[in-house]
Amino acid sequence: MSNADSVRVRVFSLNCWGIHYLSKHCGQRYDMIGDMLSKGEHDIVLLQEVWSEKDHLSLKKKLACSHPHSHYFKSGVIGSGLAIFSKHRILDTFLYRYSLNGYPYMAHHGDWFGGKAVGMAVLSIGSLTANVYVTHLHAEYCREKDSYLPHRVVQAWELQQFVRHTSAGADVVILGGDLNMHPQDLGNRLLRSYTGLRDSYLETAKFDGCEDGMTLIADNPFTCKKELVPFEKGIRIDYILFKGSSKTDIFCDSMSTTKGCVPDHPFPYSDHEALTSELRLESHTPPEVGKDEQSKDQDSAGKVAELVDIVTEARTEVKVGLHCAERKRCTAARTGVMGLALLFLELAIATVSWLALGAEQPFPRTSFYLLAALCFAILLTTSLLYIFYTMELKSLQGAEDQMRLAVGSLQEKLRGFPLAQPHNVQRKPPVGDPEE
Amino acid sequence: MSNADSVRVRVFSLNCWGIHYLSKHCGQRYDMIGDMLSKGEHDIVLLQEVWSEKDHLSLKKKLACSHPHSHYFKSGVIGSGLAIFSKHRILDTFLYRYSLNGYPYMAHHGDWFGGKAVGMAVLSIGSLTANVYVTHLHAEYCREKDSYLPHRVVQAWELQQFVRHTSAGADVVILGGDLNMHPQDLGNRLLRSYTGLRDSYLETAKFDGCEDGMTLIADNPFTCKKELVPFEKGIRIDYILFKGSSKTDIFCDSMSTTKGCVPDHPFPYSDHEALTSELRLESHTPPEVGKDEQSKDQDSAGKVAELVDIVTEARTEVKVGLHCAERKRCTAARTGVMGLALLFLELAIATVSWLALGAEQPFPRTSFYLLAALCFAILLTTSLLYIFYTMELKSLQGAEDQMRLAVGSLQEKLRGFPLAQPHNVQRKPPVGDPEE
């Protein structure tokens, strides 16, 4: 299965649920995570929700011997929560902050304050250059009525763009993190189809872990069973994805997840399960041009046609978000105008009563000030909301424009395929993805 | 000078100064710009400060024949102001929003509302793939005491990262825009040294335009002479930069700028001068390995050593920004605590006077409400400022971390050069840049 030229890389990914005072046993769990990682069994460690910089520093100290290279990505108000530890040298890092990430007034959901982003680290693995990405997308709080869906779709869109455009010079690409999307969710299909990233769970030769590769399971004492309904057993929302290049092949030899509790410990590492993928990288010479050209063409035509469908679906979702944001902005504007009208009305009444009745029986002072304060509060709040919704609108419009252009380019590409039969191909199940 | 395989590309860049009601003769100037561009003399048109989407749409309509491909980048509250028109097909676009971009409360400077960013368009020029970037960095309002310098340095840092990481697959790279930096400013050196981008003005075989390639000149009736002091004649802050790849060479055959007024028109196109570069792209086979290896090594060692210096300088600037942001955040926190203390004090006095004197002689109502409103306003404002400064801090820290890592990588690289003499090399004037 492997040859002399192959390099083995063990990749670890975990959403650490590191919210002090809110997450249960936070300190003890970090100790457990640190102890486990310091054994040095993993080459690349991708962590999410490391919200406190202190926790990152204590992990860094603990892993100084096993993983001498690390980077913590800072963003937003609290941080991005993203961290990477590596045995291999980190040559360069780069952070892309998603343009949309929930709403600041939804403080109980907290996503906005986290400054969700995708962090990239360029690693030198022997003679190979690996682009390693770690990310965490906006959470899904209610699957039936998911008001954050357009935001998450735009995040997935920006994630695929970032990976695609930054990975041209890389020999291998590895992406790990909490995507907050089920395997067949729109954003997930968009990401995998556009980038060509392959899912460790679907590609692995050997799997040891939870049923269906689930990473948020009912058996974990930290998960809220109610929130999992209608998926009683759990869901799969954490991933390790990978792809090679023209110079390097990549295979997943084995994959595992934790299964709730950890042996010899009173509780699990986190409310999410940890993922470990053992990847094998093999350098090779680029294949000759012309070989199997025709079958590749057909394959590609099918994939492009599928991609057109997915991007079109994403565009629809973004448009739904656009309408929603427009409505909200309109409401903010209308409320603001009402606040202003109320203020003018109050001033008019006060002036009239002052002029007509003199200073003896003026507009009651207490009510006057209370009402004025209310008007100002309304004006300020609606102004801030108006600005925020305008920014949301711009980002959604920007993503929609890019998607429209992408569909155009893809359709142009499709026209270029000599044997393309888009309509038949479109309905054909996609290649190499048993889940679809 | 050229051979059969060469492709000529004329690139145009202009900061359009498109602020309706504030910029002079805005509509008429757009008409002039549209008329000039519709002649089709330019292959790629990069515009900045197209703040109104309406203006973009009317330009798009006017240039539908001459430049059938276009993209308008949306961002921030008003927009990014960035637009691209092209004769060549745009395959893909991507936008990177700078993490720092001034302050929302500096509304009279307006940069924050513009959502400054760098837009990328992947163009197909014959058989070549060109990554074309258009950007506009934060303005410099006072050179002596430039409070936005750390923000602009971070923007330049993020710009070089974005260009470097996204251009690996491109045959040629072209960047145009208003960098708001003089040729020797830190951010400019950072950008050019790190990416290897070359300056049209410095590289051109033939130049026709303002003295020293200036793009903001005293002779332009729209510029404010006072703001140019101490540079009486003007400054050069707009650029067209370019670089080739291992497969493609790129040369600048000629370059020109407008010189204030436009013949047969009452006024110039904008307060900035327009730039036009005629680039020649030549495909070639990658050079043999081993050829001139030693001289290249020495050259590279010199460049890397220079880069270490520049990044270190940038780090220092970012650290200054960090201290400043920390101080401001601290002031916001202290003011907030004072507001809270005042509120408690007021409540205590009101309670005591109510308990001791009964309802007959309470705390004067008017003063009570006014003071309470003031306290709330202080609390709200300082909270918002605290959140904003925390985000600023995180971004600055993030950039500083990345710069530290970059310096480490560069130093490591320097150690690898067999003949590297960093200290001598460091002082050597950089190669191929007559201005430095």
Side-chain angles (χ1 to χ4, degrees):
Chain A
M1 243 172 104
S2 69
N3 63 27
D5 271 1
S6 72
V7 181
R8 281 177 187 284
V9 179
R10 278 173 67 95
V11 183
F12 177 89
S13 175
L14 174 65
N15 178 325
C16 294
W17 194 38
I19 319 168
H20 279 278
Y21 313 113
L22 280 176
S23 308
K24 285 175 197 155
H25 311 293
C26 197
Q28 291 150 282
R29 285 192 293 107
Y30 268 118
D31 287 341
M32 283 166 59
I33 294 169
D35 290 341
M36 179 259 299
L37 292 176
S38 65
K39 288 178 194 158
E41 284 169 3
H42 309 94
D43 300 286
I44 300 168
V45 175
L46 306 172
L47 302 181
Q48 305 96 50
E49 288 208 18
V50 184
W51 296 121
S52 155
E53 217 176 316
K54 248 188 202 163
D55 290 327
H56 170 254
L57 287 175
S58 75
L59 274 179
K60 192 177 170 174
K61 214 170 152 186
K62 214 168 196 168
L63 306 183
C65 292
S66 61
H67 300 83
H69 310 287
S70 72
H71 193 79
Y72 183 61
F73 295 96
K74 284 163 190 155
S75 159
V77 185
I78 309 170
S80 70
L82 306 173
I84 173 165
F85 292 92
S86 166
K87 287 187 181 178
H88 302 281
R89 190 170 186 90
I90 299 176
L91 300 175
D92 213 342
T93 56
F94 190 25
L95 185 73
Y96 181 88
R97 291 158 189 84
Y98 297 124
S99 65
L100 290 171
N101 187 32
Y103 306 95
Y105 54 80
M106 299 297 268
H108 59 296
H109 285 170
D111 291 69
W112 186 84
F113 292 87
K116 298 283 171 74
V118 47
M120 174 179 104
V122 181
L123 261 61
S124 151
I125 304 180
S127 61
L128 299 174
T129 301
N131 275 21
V132 178
Y133 302 86
V134 55
T135 192
H136 186 189
L137 267 53
H138 198 293
E140 183 183 77
Y141 295 97
C142 170
R143 197 163 171 85
E144 280 67 49
K145 216 185 151 193
D146 182 10
S147 54
Y148 297 114
L149 184 58
H151 283 212
R152 207 178 309 103
V153 169
V154 171
Q155 289 186 344
W157 174 258
E158 290 176 349
L159 175 59
Q160 71 78 13
Q161 276 189 314
F162 185 69
V163 171
R164 215 156 37 87
H165 289 299
T166 56
S167 62
D171 296 310
V172 288
V173 176
I174 297 167
L175 186 152
D178 176 1
L179 299 185
N180 271 314
M181 301 186 291
H182 295 214
Q184 283 318 306
D185 281 359
L186 173 59
N188 215 329
R189 280 181 287 140
L190 190 65
L191 172 66
R192 279 184 293 143
S193 302
Y194 230 129
T195 57
L197 282 167
R198 284 141 59 202
D199 186 344
S200 279
Y201 173 69
L202 300 177
E203 300 275 331
T204 185
K206 218 166 69 189
F207 178 74
D208 175 33
C210 301
E211 197 184 327
D212 296 328
M214 288 181 302
T215 59
L216 204 65
I217 59 168
D219 286 346
N220 187 311
F222 295 141
T223 54
C224 175
K225 272 88 210 156
K226 257 192 239 161
E227 283 172 13
L228 286 175
V229 170
F231 307 95
E232 290 88 22
K233 286 184 177 175
I235 51 177
R236 183 157 84 94
I237 56 173
D238 298 82
Y239 301 83
I240 293 175
L241 309 174
F242 61 86
K243 71 169 178 178
S245 65
S246 61
K247 287 193 289 174
T248 313
D249 277 335
I250 183 164
F251 306 94
C252 183
D253 285 344
S254 76
M255 198 208 169
S256 64
T257 72
T258 52
K259 301 169 193 172
C261 279
V262 182
D264 307 325
H265 284 91
F267 38 76
Y269 295 120
S270 168
D271 60 343
H272 284 241
E273 301 308 314
L275 280 70
T276 305
S277 291
E278 189 167 336
L279 304 175
R280 177 164 42 90
L281 322 181
E282 282 183 11
S283 301
H284 67 83
T285 46
E288 286 164 50
V289 185
K291 194 182 157 192
D292 291 330
E293 197 94 316
Q294 198 175 315
S295 76
K296 255 191 196 169
D297 259 357
Q298 266 191 318
D299 187 20
S300 294
K303 278 192 179 160
V304 172
E306 189 200 347
L307 205 46
V308 171
D309 282 2
I310 296 174
V311 179
T312 307
E313 202 180 330
R315 254 188 91 184
T316 313
E317 205 50 67
V318 171
K319 273 183 194 161
V320 171
L322 260 171
H323 287 303
C324 191
E326 251 161 19
R327 219 174 39 234
K328 283 197 244 177
R329 188 172 75 159
C330 199
T331 307
R334 227 180 285 141
T335 315
V337 169
M338 273 164 58
L340 201 66
L342 196 63
L343 191 67
F344 280 127
L345 192 71
E346 189 194 4
L347 288 174
I349 294 174
T351 314
V352 167
S353 65
W354 180 69
L355 285 176
L357 305 166
E360 286 136 60
Q361 218 179 17
F363 194 93
R365 279 199 172 178
T366 313
S367 318
F368 180 82
Y369 289 116
L370 273 181
L371 198 58
L374 179 73
C375 292
F376 275 113
I378 289 175
L379 272 177
L380 185 72
T381 314
T382 50
S383 306
L384 289 176
L385 281 177
Y386 189 87
I387 290 175
F388 184 83
Y389 289 132
T390 306
M391 287 166 75
E392 186 188 4
L393 266 177
K394 291 273 171 197
S395 293
L396 285 165
Q397 284 169 348
E400 212 255 298
D401 286 349
Q402 290 176 350
M403 286 174 184
R404 193 181 48 235
L405 191 121
V407 168
S409 288
L410 289 170
Q411 280 169 338
E412 191 70 17
K413 204 171 163 185
L414 213 54
R415 265 178 233 124
F417 286 116
L419 294 160
Q421 291 161 298
H423 287 287
N424 296 339
V425 173
Q426 228 163 310
R427 270 148 200 93
K428 197 180 80 176
V431 185
D433 197 337
E435 272 206 7
E436 267 168 325
Chain B
M1 243 171 104
S2 70
N3 64 26
D5 271 1
S6 72
V7 181
R8 280 177 188 284
V9 180
R10 279 172 68 94
V11 183
F12 177 89
S13 175
L14 174 66
N15 178 326
C16 294
W17 195 37
I19 318 169
H20 279 279
Y21 313 114
L22 280 176
S23 309
K24 286 174 197 156
H25 310 292
C26 199
Q28 289 149 283
R29 286 191 294 106
Y30 269 119
D31 286 341
M32 283 165 59
I33 295 170
D35 289 341
M36 180 258 300
L37 292 176
S38 64
K39 289 177 193 158
E41 284 168 4
H42 309 93
D43 299 288
I44 300 168
V45 175
L46 306 173
L47 302 180
Q48 305 97 51
E49 289 209 15
V50 185
W51 295 122
S52 155
E53 215 175 316
K54 248 188 200 159
D55 291 325
H56 170 253
L57 287 175
S58 75
L59 274 179
K60 193 176 167 174
K61 214 171 152 185
K62 212 166 197 170
L63 306 183
C65 292
S66 59
H67 300 84
H69 310 287
S70 72
H71 193 78
Y72 183 62
F73 294 96
K74 285 165 190 152
S75 160
V77 185
I78 310 168
S80 70
L82 306 172
I84 173 167
F85 291 92
S86 167
K87 287 186 180 176
H88 302 281
R89 193 173 184 87
I90 298 176
L91 299 174
D92 212 341
T93 55
F94 190 25
L95 184 73
Y96 182 88
R97 290 158 189 85
Y98 297 124
S99 65
L100 291 171
N101 187 33
Y103 306 96
Y105 54 79
M106 300 296 269
H108 59 299
H109 284 170
D111 291 70
W112 186 85
F113 291 89
K116 298 283 171 76
V118 46
M120 175 180 103
V122 181
L123 260 62
S124 153
I125 303 180
S127 61
L128 299 174
T129 301
N131 276 22
V132 178
Y133 301 86
V134 54
T135 192
H136 186 188
L137 266 53
H138 198 293
E140 184 183 76
Y141 295 97
C142 170
R143 197 162 172 84
E144 280 67 49
K145 218 185 148 193
D146 183 11
S147 54
Y148 297 114
L149 183 57
H151 283 211
R152 206 176 311 102
V153 169
V154 171
Q155 289 186 343
W157 174 257
E158 289 176 350
L159 175 59
Q160 70 78 12
Q161 277 190 315
F162 186 69
V163 171
R164 214 156 37 87
H165 289 299
T166 55
S167 62
D171 296 311
V172 287
V173 176
I174 297 167
L175 186 152
D178 176 2
L179 299 184
N180 271 314
M181 301 186 290
H182 295 216
Q184 282 318 305
D185 281 0
L186 174 59
N188 214 330
R189 282 180 287 140
L190 190 65
L191 172 66
R192 279 185 294 143
S193 302
Y194 231 130
T195 56
L197 283 167
R198 284 142 58 202
D199 187 344
S200 279
Y201 174 68
L202 300 177
E203 301 274 333
T204 185
K206 219 165 68 189
F207 177 74
D208 174 34
C210 300
E211 198 185 326
D212 296 328
M214 289 182 303
T215 59
L216 204 64
I217 58 168
D219 286 346
N220 186 310
F222 295 140
T223 55
C224 175
K225 272 87 208 157
K226 256 192 241 162
E227 282 172 13
L228 286 176
V229 171
F231 306 96
E232 290 88 22
K233 286 187 176 173
I235 51 177
R236 184 156 83 93
I237 56 173
D238 299 81
Y239 301 84
I240 293 175
L241 309 175
F242 61 85
K243 71 168 179 179
S245 64
S246 61
K247 286 194 289 175
T248 313
D249 276 335
I250 182 165
F251 306 93
C252 183
D253 285 344
S254 76
M255 199 208 168
S256 63
T257 71
T258 51
K259 302 170 193 173
C261 280
V262 182
D264 306 325
H265 284 90
F267 38 76
Y269 295 120
S270 168
D271 61 343
H272 285 242
E273 300 309 314
L275 280 71
T276 305
S277 290
E278 189 167 337
L279 305 175
R280 177 165 42 91
L281 321 181
E282 282 184 11
S283 301
H284 67 84
T285 46
E288 286 164 49
V289 185
K291 193 183 157 190
D292 291 328
E293 197 93 318
Q294 199 174 315
S295 75
K296 256 192 195 168
D297 258 357
Q298 268 190 317
D299 185 23
S300 295
K303 278 195 179 155
V304 172
E306 189 201 347
L307 204 47
V308 170
D309 282 1
I310 296 174
V311 179
T312 307
E313 202 180 328
R315 253 187 92 186
T316 312
E317 206 49 68
V318 171
K319 273 182 194 163
V320 171
L322 260 171
H323 287 302
C324 190
E326 252 162 18
R327 220 174 38 234
K328 284 197 244 177
R329 188 173 75 159
C330 201
T331 307
R334 229 181 285 139
T335 316
V337 169
M338 272 164 57
L340 201 67
L342 196 64
L343 190 68
F344 279 126
L345 192 72
E346 188 194 4
L347 287 175
I349 293 175
T351 314
V352 166
S353 65
W354 180 69
L355 285 176
L357 306 166
E360 286 134 58
Q361 218 180 17
F363 193 94
R365 278 200 174 175
T366 312
S367 319
F368 180 83
Y369 288 117
L370 275 180
L371 197 59
L374 179 72
C375 292
F376 274 115
I378 291 175
L379 273 177
L380 185 72
T381 313
T382 51
S383 305
L384 289 175
L385 281 177
Y386 189 87
I387 290 176
F388 184 83
Y389 289 131
T390 305
M391 287 166 74
E392 186 188 6
L393 266 177
K394 291 274 172 199
S395 293
L396 285 165
Q397 285 170 347
E400 211 256 298
D401 286 350
Q402 290 176 349
M403 286 175 184
R404 194 181 50 236
L405 191 122
V407 168
S409 288
L410 289 169
Q411 280 169 337
E412 190 71 19
K413 204 170 162 186
L414 213 52
R415 267 179 232 122
F417 287 116
L419 294 160
Q421 291 160 299
H423 287 287
N424 297 340
V425 173
Q426 228 162 307
R427 269 145 202 97
K428 199 181 78 176
V431 185
D433 197 338
E435 273 206 10
E436 267 168 325

